[in-house]
Amino acid sequence: DTGVSQNPRHKITKRGQNVTFRCDPISEHNRLYWYRQTLGQGPEFLTYFQNEAQLEKSRLLSDRFSAERPKGSFSTLEIQRTEQGDSAMYLCASSFPGSYEQYFGPGTRLTVT
Amino acid sequence: GQQLNQSPQSMFIQEGEDVSMNCTSSSIFNTWLWYKQDPGEGPVLLIALYKAGELTSNGRLTAQFGITRKDSFLNISASIPSDVGIYFCTGGSEKLVFGKGTKLTVNP
């Protein structure tokens, strides 16, 4: 399968714990995006990378959130000291540079208890 | 910031019927994209529109980029049960702005 992959698909954690999600984009794509989606809403932009450079971060991305793409391939999204409000689907997408057509992965569903 | 309004919020139709949904924006977009999302999965890109007035088809799906650049329409002809899902319009640039979606239910 050459699509965007995300791991894990589901994560249940207790409040206060740290969690990390991984995204592997389509191999030819050098742009990678993170979105968050809560129930009944469309995805909301969090941040994006071109190669290893993080080019933009949303105000939604609080200090507890950090994203990296160290070698310009896969990316990780870490949430520290999770809160119940962090419960959501975290989506990753990738695209060619200059293209607005973003291809999404299956998402990671986070539940904070 | 930009806001997208999708209508209707939900639709209940019989298999075989045609479906129309639309999306309006508070500001001009240079691109419109339509996605479909199944429960527990990521959105899947259906159609991309790049020019005002453009009409593009993908199988039974047809989408149009409104002339004002502030709206777009999606039509599904001869619906089938697998069309069930949430349809999102989006536009913008690197950071896609999504509407709340139109939830489609198809009764066999």
Side-chain angles (χ1 to χ4, degrees):
Chain A
D1 190 335
T2 57
V4 177
S5 62
Q6 292 187 246
N7 287 289
R9 291 293 311 274
H10 303 275
K11 179 70 177 178
I12 300 175
T13 191
K14 293 185 177 180
R15 189 177 60 180
Q17 298 293 307
N18 299 342
V19 293
T20 300
F21 311 139
R22 175 177 169 130
C23 171
D24 288 87
I26 294 171
S27 57
E28 306 84 32
H29 291 178
N30 66 358
R31 282 194 176 170
L32 186 149
Y33 313 80
W34 286 100
Y35 291 81
R36 181 172 68 185
Q37 185 177 25
T38 53
L39 203 60
Q41 304 294 319
E44 294 175 292
F45 172 81
L46 292 178
T47 187
Y48 89 98
F49 294 82
Q50 178 158 311
N51 298 314
E52 64 275 10
Q54 188 172 18
L55 297 186
E56 189 168 351
K57 292 195 294 186
S58 162
R59 286 173 293 176
L60 292 175
L61 216 61
S62 75
D63 292 344
R64 296 183 298 105
F65 288 69
S66 62
E68 293 183 344
R69 196 183 182 197
K71 298 182 179 178
S73 56
F74 72 91
S75 175
T76 57
L77 178 68
E78 181 184 17
I79 308 175
Q80 296 182 328
R81 304 180 303 282
T82 52
E83 301 172 356
Q84 287 189 320
D86 297 331
S87 295
M89 174 79 92
Y90 289 84
L91 293 162
C92 175
S94 68
S95 74
F96 286 111
S99 172
Y100 298 149
E101 296 181 21
Q102 296 182 21
Y103 294 85
F104 284 82
T108 294
R109 166 74 64 188
L110 173 66
T111 302
V112 181
T113 62
Chain B
Q2 290 173 323
Q3 292 186 343
L4 285 178
N5 292 309
Q6 289 191 243
S7 64
Q9 289 185 335
S10 61
M11 304 181 75
F12 297 84
I13 62 170
Q14 293 296 125
E15 183 177 358
E17 290 183 354
D18 297 343
V19 173
S20 292
M21 59 188 79
N22 68 75
C23 192
T24 58
S25 169
S26 59
S27 54
I28 290 173
F29 280 144
N30 291 321
T31 305
W32 283 98
L33 305 173
W34 284 91
Y35 286 86
K36 176 177 181 276
Q37 187 174 30
D38 292 331
E41 299 293 330
V44 174
L45 181 62
L46 299 174
I47 291 180
L49 301 160
Y50 290 96
K51 290 183 181 180
E54 179 182 356
L55 191 70
T56 298
S57 294
N58 178 7
R60 294 178 295 105
L61 277 61
T62 301
Q64 184 165 22
F65 193 142
I67 294 175
T68 66
R69 295 176 139 188
K70 289 186 176 183
D71 55 5
S72 180
F73 307 88
L74 177 69
N75 295 313
I76 304 173
S77 63
S79 58
I80 59 178
S82 62
D83 291 333
V84 165
I86 301 178
Y87 291 80
F88 288 102
C89 62
T90 177
S93 56
E94 288 79 10
K95 47 181 184 180
L96 297 179
V97 177
F98 284 83
K100 290 189 176 183
T102 292
K103 185 176 181 180
L104 179 64
T105 301
V106 179
N107 296 317

